[in-house]
Structure formats: C-alpha cells, structure tokens
Amino acid sequence: MGKQKKGAGSSSSKKSTTGSSSGENARFIIGLVLLVFALYMLVVFISYVLTGNADQDSLSHQAEGTVYAYKNWGGRFGFRIAHYFIFDGFGLGSFFIPLIIGAFGLALLKVRYFRLWKNVLRFLLATVLVSAILGFAAGQSTFLGAGPGGEFGFNIAHWMNELMGKVGTGALLLIITAAYLIFALHVSPQTLRKPIASVAKAGASVLSGEGRKRDIITEEVKIEPDENFPTVDEEPLRADEEETGDIDDFYKLPKENPDRPIVNVISHDRKPPADQPAEEELPADMTPFDPRLTLPRYKFPTLALLRDYRNVGTTTNEEVTANKEIIIKTLSDHKITIKHISATVGPTVTLYEVVPDRGVKIHRIKSLDNDIALSLSALGIRIIAPIPGRGTVGIEVPNKKPEIVSMKGLIASREFADSKYELPLALGRTITNDPYIIDLTRMPHLLVAGATGQGKSVGLNAIITSLLYKKHPSELKLVLIDPKRVELPLYAKIERHFLAKLPDEEDAIVTDTKKVINTLNSLCILMDHRLEMLKLSQTRNIREYNDKFIARRLNPEKGHDFMPYIVLIIDEFADLIMTSGRDVEAPIGRLAQLSRAVGIHLIISTQRPSVSIITGFIKANFPSRIAFRVFSGVDSRTILDTTGADRLVGRGDALISQGGEPIRVQCAFIDTPEIEELTDYIGSQQGYPDAMHLPEYVGDDEGGNGNNEVDLKKRDPLFDEAARLVVQHQQGSTSLIQRRMQLGYNRAGRIIDQLEAAGIVGPFEGSKAREVIVQDPQTLEQILKRLSEETL
C-alpha cells in the first residue's frame, strides 16, 4: 500500500513538473515575441516620422493596378501599423505604445527588477498627455497629416479650446503635466519650484522696473577678477591636510577674511554672518544647499575593495530529486499523501513546498520534523506550516554544499544600487537567492542575537559596510560601543569621516563602561535638541527637516543645521547590562522610544539571549530582530517569540523578523582583510578635523542645573566672552553660544544659566530666545567688572 502511494505521489510530481516546465517555456516564447514586436513597432514608428508623408502622397497618386514599393522600413505592414497609431491615433505620443508592449514581454521573461503595472500606467498616461499637449501646441499644423498629436490630440485640444479657451486649456495641461512629473516620475517639487520662481521674479522685475536698475548698478560695480587668484583645481589637498566646510558655502558669499579659520559644519561649528536674513526673507531662487560640499573630494568605496568568493560546488538536481523522494516516502510511511512537491534552492537551504491532499491535517506534517531530518541525514530542518499566502507547507532542508554569499555580490546587485532607502542594509540572500535589502529607518531599531561564533559580528560588519558604500560622511555618523574591544576597533581609521564621540575623548570607539553611560546620555541630549529643532521648524521627522534645510527655508542663525543620520551600534549588550544595569537600560529605552523621528537608530547585539538581558522593555522597543543560531528553543522564543532559530545551521544562517513570519536569510560574508582595505581607502582621504562631537554630558554628581545652585564665583572661563557675544547680537540663546564658541550643548547651557543669574539675560521662555536685559556694551562691562571684584 505504501509503495502504491509512493508511486502515485511520484507520478503526480513528475506530471506537475512537466506541466510547469511547459508553461514556463510558453511564457518565455510569448514574452520574446512581444519584446521583438515592440522593437519592430519602434523601428516602423521612427521610419513613419521620416517617410510617412512621402508614402501617403505616393499612395494617393498611385495608378490603379500598380504595386507600390513602401519606403517605410517595415514595409506595407509596418506602414499600416504606424499610420493607424500615429496618424489616426496619438501622434508622437504613440512612441510609448511599443514600450507598453515591451513591458509585458519583459514581465513574461521574468525580469525581476522590472515593475510591470507601474510602468505600464506611466506609459499609458504619457501617451495620452503627450498627444494632448502636442495637439494643443501645434494647432492646425499638418505635420504627419493630423499634426504631431495625431487625430486624438487634435480632437481633444479642439474640444478643450471650445470649452475653456486656449488660456484655460494651457493652464489645465500645465497642471496635469506637473502632477504627472511629481506623482508618476517622482520629480521633486523643488525642481519645479525653481523655474517658476525665476519666471515670477523676472516678471516682477520687469513690471517694477527694477530689472533695468539692477543692470545699471551691476555695470557700475563690475570689476575684473585677479588673474593670480588660485582656483580650486590649481592645488589639490594633500593627504595630511583636512578638508572642511564653511557657512560661506551655504550662502555662497565671498570670504571677507581669507585667513580666518575654517570650521566643521557637521560638528555644529558653523559661523553664519550676522546680517543673514530671517527664514521668511531667504531668496526663493537660491541654489539648494548640498551637505556633500562640506567634503567635496570624498570618493565612495569601489567594489574592487571586496572579494568575490567562488563556491566549490552547489546543490545539484540529483540531490534535490533524491530529497524529494525521501520526503514523499517519509510522509507516506505516516499515512500522509500529497498532491505536489516542488523545490527552491537557496544558498544555504533548499525549500521544499508540499501541497497535501484534501483532509490532511497540517499539524501532522509539522510534527514529523525529526523523522524527516533523520531520513535526510540532515543537521536540522525547519517546517513552515503553512507558508503565509501560498497554501503550501514548507520544509527547509540544509544543503550539503552551502554557498558563501559575498558582500561584493550584494553591493553590486541592482536592488542595492537602485535602492531609494535612506539607510539601506544589504544583509544577505533569501532562500530564493534574491538580495535581502531593508531600510533601517523603517525598522527603526534592530536587535541582533545568537550563540557565540554563529555570525553576529559578521552581520554587524555587513550592516556597517552597507552604510559606508551608500552614504556620504556628511549624511551619516556612527557611534560604536564595543565592551569586548576586539571587533569594532577596526573602524577607528574612519574616525574623521564617519564616527561621532564625546568632546575631548581620544578614542572614538567606546569601550569603558563609564564612558558608555556618558555617551548614551549625550545622545539623549542630542535627541532632545533635535526634537526641539523639529518643533521650531514645524516638521515631523528628519527627512522633512533636512529637505526644508536643503531648500534653504531654515535659517542657521536661529540654530538650524543639517542633521546627519546617527546609528548607535553596541556589539555586546549583555556585558553592559551586567556591569551597569539600569544606568544603561534607561537611556537606551528613551532613545528607542523617541529617537526615530530625529534620525537616531539603535543596533544592539548580544550572545546571551536570556530574559534577563533581552527584557520585555527591550523587546517592546526593538520590533525588528535578527536571530542567528541558538542552542535551545527557549532562546529562540526569547529573541523571535517563536521557535526556529534553534534549527538553523550556523555560519551566518539567520532568521529576520519584522513583526510577522520570520524570513530565512544567509547573511553576507565579509572578511577582516576586506574591512581593513575598506577603512584604509576611506581613512586615506581628506576628512573633517575630528570626529563629530556629541553634546557634552555632565552627570548628576558633577553639578546642578537650577539657577538657585548657580555660583557666580565659579563662573565658566568663557563667561565674559559669551556675555559680550550675547549683548552684541541681542540674542540670548544656548545655540548661539554653542555655535559661535564651539562648545558642547551642556556647557553652553550652564553658561546661559550663569548669564541669567548675573542679570544679563532673562529667564527661560520655552521655544523663544531669552530676553537680553543688558542693551549696550558699556553697561555690560560695568557688570563684568563688578563680578570680577566680587570674585577677588
């Protein structure tokens, strides 16, 4: 009986495989036909534009009974097709029709990176829109017979002109075109705003007569440039020089003093001119700010720095077929019959999808995991019953010859290269060999856990490498914490490019527990400051804020600055919890809850996935998790809230959960020599003067914050200079002192408290700058002299 069932299962499997293969071949042939026909249409359309009028004239004067030799490159058939679509149809807009047909051909050929319906809709809309615009613009033109918009464009333009007049028709087509560019082609509104602003400004100048006046003034003050003035290209920076940005780059103003020091934009040290107009007064046609100009000579890493690991062998068809037979036999031995079984070969495991017969209970299949593993002599299998959305039961079986997923292949993949993610992470390849790319900003924090030696550190290296290949130093900063002191110090070479640290710290890689606590609290201060900036700018997240800043709608004089993304990476979280406990968990909790909006993202890793380390509080704020192999189902549940991680095969085999069913991924491999070459390549380039400085943090035992505790006899050494700065600008804000004097956020706050206690500025008033009580320098000098005498 068992043999009969086995035979029946094998027969149905072979039939279904044959049917699937035939259908695949038919789809390929049809797709190829459509693609070739689309190219043919494109050729005859081009030929019709060049020879269509000649063919039409010759046909109209052709003598009866004679055979006409068509000049169209597609012959008579090509001429008829082109005449139907271009003359009787959409005119030059018909050139999008071959693209639509080609799109269906590519879809049938299963070109994975091609999105069918999205592109078909774009081309259809473009066909109609181009035809209407050309019909409106050409009027009574006889180009191509019915005009460049074809019969459709001519008729629709004629109807709209009668309905709304030419002015209304033109305005409506302009609005529809702008909407198409923004929503269909994803053109930035800022790109469209610039020409509109230029036209409006030119019109206003003409109407007011200012255009002529400006020309006269320009002629009067025009001077010839100094021929000896060096250009940027005359003397490139040496390897030991530091390349920095200046606020003059932001406003494109000439430097009044070329000898003044240049400061680092990313470290919040920019010095904007005092006469900069307020936010609402910024010119609308000013060139958008480019943060990458703060390090314009930076070159992104090349693929040549990474290695392409060649695999000795891959899973063969014989191995897959043998495993299918064993699975069918094992199921039939337990009185379980199936309709169909198929296989998808991945880099580490092969997924066998089983369609059980009607009436078979799924839990019976799921309970046979150990039996199937024994029959296959496999290290461990994982059964997914059922696979969500597919109506099948999945059996994941480890390959006898697993492949190595190289980081180079992922970085070079189209999915990563064309990714529009803000912080793309190339983690590995799925069971279908597709690159697995996710956006850290959508996660928004990540928990990585697994037993020792199962691939956690390699996973962190893959994450960091992804970011280094995609982001410019002005757009990303890393805060690296490594209590183990062995993994993350490899990245010390890129300190002046991508790292952030506390002021006055020598090492950017944080290893001391006390410094870890200060760093975490410093990030909380920075988070609060950024949240306040979002509030003042009336934006909801870092992306909206930076877009507004790039468009120059935020004034740096009011404390605004471009915000780089900050990624905090902790390599061994368990060690911090054991040594510091609450002091570490509290700031991490605050960051996990509030920092997403301001572009601060957390990645914590641990090799001890116990409930004492991965607490409910941590799990609640880290919905995205990566589990490498663990040795018990309890540890798997602690990480993923489900089993499965205990049945992984190790060596980078991982389950990734983002709130739903975990996805099995073979993590990309990058070796230590590759990391060294990558960091050497970046570190050898000109960078900022130092790593980005985080706000200064002072613990509770190092001083108070209230004005009642301010002792003016213990004033800050920079108190007098700060007082003169505030009175000169008549602006009592912490951010002014921080930027102009290049101080940490906390120290600037203490100085402003001392200025309040001295009666120089008023009390805190929420989002408003403090009132400056002292109005003139003479009164200030009297106050400073009195304070000096009291101190003595």
Side-chain angles (χ1 to χ4, degrees), residues 245-248 251 260-265 268-274 556-557 721 736 738-742:
D246 197 321
I247 194 63
D248 289 340
Y251 290 108
R260 66 180 177 139
I262 300 177
V263 294
N264 182 6
V265 174
H268 305 286
D269 297 334
R270 294 197 280 195
K271 299 188 177 183
E557 188 70 25
E721 182 180 348
L736 175 68
Q738 181 187 358
R739 292 192 318 273
R740 288 304 185 93
M741 303 182 67
Q742 305 179 23

Side-chain angles (χ1 to χ4, degrees), residues 20 34-35 95 108 148 153 169 172 187 292 306 323 372 395 402 438 449 480 551 565 617 665 711 735:
S20 175
L34 290 177
L35 195 59
F95 275 87
L108 289 173
T169 301
L172 180 60
V187 175
R292 296 188 177 187
L306 303 178
N323 286 344
I372 297 175
I395 303 175
I438 55 177
L480 303 181
Y565 283 97
F617 181 78
V665 173
D711 185 358
S735 59

